[in-house]
Short mmCIF file of all heavy atoms in Angstrom, two decimals:
data_model
loop_
_atom_site.label_atom_id
_atom_site.label_comp_id
_atom_site.label_asym_id
_atom_site.label_seq_id
_atom_site.Cartn_x
_atom_site.Cartn_y
_atom_site.Cartn_z
N ASN A 1517 58.27 151.54 134.33
CA ASN A 1517 57.36 152.07 133.32
C ASN A 1517 57.70 153.53 133.07
O ASN A 1517 58.77 154.02 133.52
CB ASN A 1517 55.88 151.93 133.85
CG ASN A 1517 55.72 152.47 135.20
OD1 ASN A 1517 56.40 153.42 135.60
ND2 ASN A 1517 54.73 152.02 135.95
N LYS A 1518 56.86 154.20 132.32
CA LYS A 1518 57.25 155.56 131.84
C LYS A 1518 57.39 156.51 133.10
O LYS A 1518 58.31 157.35 133.00
CB LYS A 1518 56.05 156.08 131.02
CG LYS A 1518 56.26 157.42 130.35
CD LYS A 1518 57.19 157.31 129.25
CE LYS A 1518 57.23 158.58 128.45
NZ LYS A 1518 58.24 158.70 127.49
N THR A 1519 56.66 156.32 134.17
CA THR A 1519 56.75 157.23 135.27
C THR A 1519 58.03 156.96 136.10
O THR A 1519 58.62 157.81 136.66
CB THR A 1519 55.59 157.11 136.27
OG1 THR A 1519 55.42 155.78 136.64
CG2 THR A 1519 54.30 157.62 135.51
N ASN A 1520 58.46 155.65 136.13
CA ASN A 1520 59.68 155.30 136.87
C ASN A 1520 60.96 155.64 136.21
O ASN A 1520 62.02 155.71 136.79
CB ASN A 1520 59.67 153.79 137.19
CG ASN A 1520 58.55 153.37 138.10
OD1 ASN A 1520 57.77 154.20 138.48
ND2 ASN A 1520 58.45 152.17 138.44
N LEU A 1521 60.88 155.80 134.86
CA LEU A 1521 62.12 156.19 134.09
C LEU A 1521 62.73 157.46 134.60
O LEU A 1521 63.95 157.59 134.61
CB LEU A 1521 61.81 156.31 132.64
CG LEU A 1521 61.59 155.02 131.88
CD1 LEU A 1521 61.10 155.18 130.48
CD2 LEU A 1521 62.91 154.19 131.82
N ASN A 1522 61.98 158.45 135.02
CA ASN A 1522 62.48 159.71 135.48
C ASN A 1522 63.21 159.53 136.80
O ASN A 1522 64.01 160.39 137.22
CB ASN A 1522 61.35 160.78 135.70
CG ASN A 1522 60.71 161.08 134.31
OD1 ASN A 1522 61.41 161.00 133.33
ND2 ASN A 1522 59.44 161.38 134.30
N LYS A 1523 62.97 158.45 137.53
CA LYS A 1523 63.68 158.21 138.80
C LYS A 1523 65.04 157.57 138.67
O LYS A 1523 65.75 157.44 139.55
CB LYS A 1523 62.79 157.35 139.70
CG LYS A 1523 61.51 158.06 140.14
CD LYS A 1523 60.64 157.17 140.98
CE LYS A 1523 59.37 157.85 141.30
NZ LYS A 1523 58.43 156.98 142.10
N LEU A 1524 65.35 157.06 137.36
CA LEU A 1524 66.62 156.46 137.17
C LEU A 1524 67.64 157.60 137.18
O LEU A 1524 67.51 158.65 136.67
CB LEU A 1524 66.64 155.78 135.77
CG LEU A 1524 65.82 154.50 135.63
CD1 LEU A 1524 65.89 153.97 134.23
CD2 LEU A 1524 66.26 153.45 136.65
N LYS A 1525 68.81 157.23 137.78
CA LYS A 1525 69.90 158.22 137.93
C LYS A 1525 71.26 157.65 137.58
O LYS A 1525 71.39 156.41 137.31
CB LYS A 1525 69.88 158.83 139.36
CG LYS A 1525 70.02 157.85 140.43
CD LYS A 1525 69.79 158.52 141.74
CE LYS A 1525 69.91 157.61 142.91
NZ LYS A 1525 68.88 156.62 143.01
N ILE A 1546 73.02 160.52 131.28
CA ILE A 1546 71.56 160.58 130.92
C ILE A 1546 71.44 161.85 130.05
O ILE A 1546 71.88 162.91 130.44
CB ILE A 1546 70.63 160.64 132.08
CG1 ILE A 1546 70.85 159.33 132.97
CG2 ILE A 1546 69.14 160.74 131.64
CD1 ILE A 1546 70.08 159.35 134.27
N GLU A 1548 68.47 164.12 127.67
CA GLU A 1548 67.11 164.35 127.23
C GLU A 1548 67.12 164.95 125.83
O GLU A 1548 67.87 165.93 125.56
CB GLU A 1548 66.36 165.25 128.15
CG GLU A 1548 66.01 164.68 129.50
CD GLU A 1548 65.23 165.64 130.34
OE1 GLU A 1548 64.66 166.65 129.79
OE2 GLU A 1548 65.18 165.42 131.54
N GLU A 1559 59.85 164.95 125.42
CA GLU A 1559 61.28 164.76 125.75
C GLU A 1559 61.47 163.26 125.98
O GLU A 1559 60.76 162.66 126.77
CB GLU A 1559 61.68 165.57 126.98
CG GLU A 1559 61.69 167.04 126.75
CD GLU A 1559 62.16 167.81 127.91
OE1 GLU A 1559 62.49 167.19 128.93
OE2 GLU A 1559 62.15 169.06 127.88
N LEU A 1561 64.14 160.24 127.02
CA LEU A 1561 65.41 160.02 127.68
C LEU A 1561 66.36 159.07 126.96
O LEU A 1561 65.83 158.07 126.45
CB LEU A 1561 65.15 159.53 129.11
CG LEU A 1561 64.43 160.44 130.07
CD1 LEU A 1561 64.11 159.73 131.40
CD2 LEU A 1561 65.31 161.66 130.34
N PHE A 1563 70.15 156.92 127.54
CA PHE A 1563 70.99 156.55 128.61
C PHE A 1563 72.33 155.99 127.94
O PHE A 1563 72.27 155.11 127.04
CB PHE A 1563 70.40 155.48 129.48
CG PHE A 1563 69.15 155.94 130.16
CD1 PHE A 1563 67.90 155.75 129.56
CD2 PHE A 1563 69.19 156.48 131.39
CE1 PHE A 1563 66.73 156.14 130.13
CE2 PHE A 1563 68.00 156.90 132.03
CZ PHE A 1563 66.78 156.73 131.41
N GLU A 1580 64.60 155.01 126.05
CA GLU A 1580 63.79 154.66 127.18
C GLU A 1580 62.90 153.51 126.90
O GLU A 1580 62.50 152.75 127.83
CB GLU A 1580 63.03 155.88 127.73
CG GLU A 1580 62.03 156.49 126.71
CD GLU A 1580 61.35 157.74 127.29
OE1 GLU A 1580 62.00 158.51 128.00
OE2 GLU A 1580 60.26 157.91 126.93
#
Side-chain angles (χ1 to χ4, degrees):
N1517 53 25
K1518 187 76 170 166
T1519 57
N1520 294 0
L1521 282 173
N1522 295 328
K1523 295 179 183 176
L1524 291 176
K1525 54 189 181 293
I1546 301 173
E1548 289 184 14
E1559 291 184 1
L1561 294 174
F1563 300 89
E1580 62 184 35

